[in-house]
Each structure stands twice: as C-alpha cells, then as structure tokens.
Amino acid sequence: MRSPGVVTRIDPTKLRTDPELGLVFTIQDLQTLFGVTAKFDINEYAIVLDVPGLDRFSGKLAETETPIQLEGLPQVAPQKFSIAAVEQKVNATGSASRSTNYRGDFLAVSSAFGGSWFIRTDQPNLENPQTWNIAEAQFLRQTNSTDYFVGSQPTFWQTQGAGDYWGFTSIQRQGFVPPKPFGGGSSDPHQRLQADSIGRTISGKAEPGTLARLVQGFGDHVIAEILVDSSGIYRFENIKSQNQFLGNNYRILLYPQGRLTAQP
C-alpha cells in the first residue's frame, strides 16, 4: 500500500472485516501500519486523524520515458549525394600604407552514400587559387555496430601528440551502442569507442519493511524504489549510467518501516 507518507506491505489475513462496514482499522492499526495518530473530538463528536508530513512530501519517482512510435510513418530514402550547406567567409585587412589582403575560409557539408561528408578549405590569399589548400576533409558513415572514417581525423592512440592525420579508420562494436553525437562538423573516433550507457546492479541490506530509494547524486530525483522483504536484501538491476553527461554517483535512502515522513 502506498500513500504520501508511508509505503508498507500488509498481510491481508490480518485485516479485520465488519459485517456491516466491511474493511475496518482500529486506532492502533492506524498508528502501527501507517503512523497516523487519532484522537476523539468531543465537540465535533468525530475522530480527528493527524497525518504527518503531507506538506513536505517530495521526491517523486522518475517517469518512464515514452517510446517514440514510428509505425505507419512513410519512409523517405535520401539521395546518394547531396549538398546541405555551403559557407564562404572572407576577411579583408589593410591600411592606408598597406594594400588590402583578402583571406577566405570555405566549407561545405552534406550526405553521400549512406554517410556524410565535410570539407574545409583554407584560402590565405583569396585572389590566388594556387595558395588554397584543403585543411579538413572527411567522409563518415556511422551505425550502432560499425563506423567508417575516411580523410582527416583526430588521433586516438596514446603515443601520438595533438593534431589530426589523414587516413582510414574502421570501428567494429559488439554488445554496446555508442553515445549519440550532439556536435556538428567532423567526428572523433575516440568518442565512438565508448558505450552510451552502462547497466549496473546496486544492492544492499536493510531491515525488512524498510523502503529503499535510489536517487541520483545529491538531489531528490528518485530513480527507483523497493520495499525490503523478509530476506533483508534490496536490489536495483540494470541501472543505466549515462557516462557522457551525467555523473555516476548514487545514494540509497532508507526509510524505516516505509515512513516517508521520517529522516532517511
């Protein structure tokens, strides 16, 4: 049974049933099971219930993300080769005693053959095409299991210093999915060697009847909760740890007898 102030497990065989009222609780039951005190008001001729902590209850369970339904939507096949964006920058410098110099930077990006391509050309002297040189150029095809990098790319081995190299890199993954890229431009092969999330099992021991809550970091965002049974062991399985942006710190809050109004 769950309420704003307590989460508890009740043996139905121990509940009382009145032939006229149905399910009933004594004043002692309310105190023992739910932590609710009661007193009789002779003026109102009524039982007044004192439910603790209703005004300070917090820590809602995290809502499960609703999956995106793609069934029934039409599929649009991309062209084998296209141009999405082209940009040309020109910087002019000069003075009264010095002739004007035009320096440019050209880049283009789009898709080709199931992947994407990116090129950037450095133009030290815009008026002299012979001074132009390709600073970056890359063809990239990424899937959950395989990546192909062709062209300029950052190094991913430890013995190499800073800087890019020109070559071909293939990454084959088995059993994990890489993180989703959020940046634009070229991609880093080193980031594609990491897993997007890691499933962990968090377990411990507590007194039976204790409510164990798993929270992220030092906030009150509740990831999962479980009421400890007679074994005295709580276990949270396959807790996804996003290693790209979120921290890997968790806390277990233990509420004795499932009383959310108590200090965990």
Side-chain angles (χ1 to χ4, degrees), residues 4-5 50-59 260-261:
D50 182 15
V51 183
L54 287 181
D55 57 341
R56 61 183 181 91
F57 173 70
S58 61
L260 297 175
T261 57

Side-chain angles (χ1 to χ4, degrees), residues 9 14 22 25-26 34 51 78 92-93 101 113 122 124 138 140 146 176 186 190 206 235 258:
R9 184 180 290 109
K14 297 181 180 181
F25 294 94
T26 65
F34 313 121
V51 183
T93 58
N101 177 56
F113 307 104
D122 187 17
Q138 184 186 90
L140 174 64
T146 305
F176 73 94
S186 59
H190 188 272
R235 179 184 299 271

Side-chain angles (χ1 to χ4, degrees), residues 189-260:
H190 188 272
Q191 296 178 353
R192 303 290 293 178
L193 299 176
Q194 304 174 8
D196 179 49
S197 61
I198 302 173
R200 298 179 174 180
T201 298
I202 301 176
S203 62
K205 295 182 178 181
E207 290 293 329
T210 301
L211 180 67
R213 276 189 164 181
L214 177 67
V215 298
Q216 177 78 43
F218 292 94
D220 58 355
H221 182 71
V222 181
I223 300 175
E225 68 178 19
I226 187 173
L227 193 63
V228 181
D229 58 17
S230 58
S231 66
I233 298 176
Y234 60 85
R235 179 184 299 271
F236 301 98
E237 297 183 351
N238 199 26
I239 301 300
K240 296 296 184 181
S241 174
Q242 301 287 340
N243 64 356
Q244 189 176 14
F245 297 106
L246 298 179
N248 295 327
N249 297 324
Y250 297 95
R251 286 189 304 155
I252 299 292
L253 303 182
L254 301 177
Y255 293 88
Q257 299 177 356
R259 305 287 172 82
L260 297 175

Side-chain angles (χ1 to χ4, degrees), residues 136-218:
E136 294 180 81
Q138 184 186 90
F139 172 77
L140 174 64
R141 177 177 172 84
Q142 295 177 326
T143 65
N144 287 338
S145 59
T146 305
D147 288 349
Y148 298 105
F149 297 81
V150 181
S152 60
Q153 52 195 283
T155 58
F156 57 86
W157 52 86
Q158 297 180 354
T159 57
Q160 181 68 23
D164 294 355
Y165 80 101
W166 292 78
F168 169 75
T169 300
S170 174
I171 299 176
Q172 307 291 327
R173 283 179 295 272
Q174 296 180 358
F176 73 94
V177 177
K180 298 178 177 62
F182 291 96
S186 59
S187 180
D188 187 354
H190 188 272
Q191 296 178 353
R192 303 290 293 178
L193 299 176
Q194 304 174 8
D196 179 49
S197 61
I198 302 173
R200 298 179 174 180
T201 298
I202 301 176
S203 62
K205 295 182 178 181
E207 290 293 329
T210 301
L211 180 67
R213 276 189 164 181
L214 177 67
V215 298
Q216 177 78 43
F218 292 94

Side-chain angles (χ1 to χ4, degrees), residues 34-51:
F34 313 121
V36 176
T37 59
K39 63 180 181 180
F40 185 75
D41 190 337
I42 188 61
N43 296 325
E44 297 291 338
Y45 201 73
I47 297 177
V48 180
L49 302 180
D50 182 15
V51 183

